[in-house]
């Protein structure tokens, strides 16, 4: 009888431990923030870019300043203009967490 009591107590303690350790476990999938980037290379001096007919943004001309421009993932129309003339017009599809490089002549 004494042995049966020890087995029951042991099973009870193991059950309590399993429940307490199992409660802190997290399941599921974590995903990174939904963001993508544009990078412009080439002759960016005096150039601006327009994303999806929005406001124009002056491009960085410094070689030390590798400037990435944050955009939402998806399909975008990109215009690069210099002296009010379009030098690049491109439709791009950028995936999440990707960088799309645009060459400026």
């Amino acid at each position: 009888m004494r042995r049966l009591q020890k087995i029951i107590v042991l099973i009870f303690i193991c059950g309590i431990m399993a429940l307490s350790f199992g409660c802190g476990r997290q399941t599921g999938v974590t995903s990174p923030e939904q963001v993508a980037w544009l990078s412009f290379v080439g002759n960016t001096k005096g150039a601006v870019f327009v994303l999806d007919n929005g406001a124009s943004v002056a491009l960085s001309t410094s070689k030390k300043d590798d400037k990435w421009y944050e955009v939402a993932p998806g399909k975008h129309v990109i215009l690069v203009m210099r002296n009010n003339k379009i030098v690049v017009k491109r439709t791009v599809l950028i995936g999440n967490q990707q960088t799309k490089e645009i060459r400026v002549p």
Side-chain angles (χ1 to χ4, degrees):
M1 186 73 172
R2 184 110 171 119
R3 184 173 179 185
L4 180 61
Q5 287 177 337
K6 286 182 180 180
I7 291 174
I8 292 173
V9 169
L10 183 62
I11 290 173
F12 180 74
I13 291 173
C14 288
I16 296 290
M17 288 176 59
L19 287 174
S20 66
F21 291 135
C23 291
R25 184 174 173 189
Q26 295 180 357
T27 60
V29 176
T30 59
S31 60
E33 183 180 351
Q34 295 287 317
V35 67
W37 299 271
L38 291 173
S39 173
F40 295 89
V41 296
N43 183 13
T44 59
K45 186 176 181 179
V48 297
F49 84 93
V50 177
L51 181 70
D52 298 328
N53 295 320
S56 62
V57 178
L59 293 175
S60 173
T61 57
S62 172
K63 294 292 182 189
K64 294 178 184 177
D65 185 19
D66 275 346
K67 184 83 171 169
W68 290 3
Y69 301 90
E70 189 174 304
V71 298
K75 186 176 180 180
H76 297 285
V77 176
I78 299 167
L79 298 176
V80 178
M81 298 170 33
R82 186 181 300 114
N83 299 325
N84 292 325
K85 294 182 181 176
I86 297 174
V87 292
V88 174
K89 181 177 181 180
R90 186 167 303 151
T91 301
V92 295
L93 182 61
I94 308 172
N96 186 34
Q97 298 291 317
Q98 290 184 341
T99 302
K100 182 64 102 174
E101 185 177 272
I102 307 294
R103 294 207 168 268
V104 181

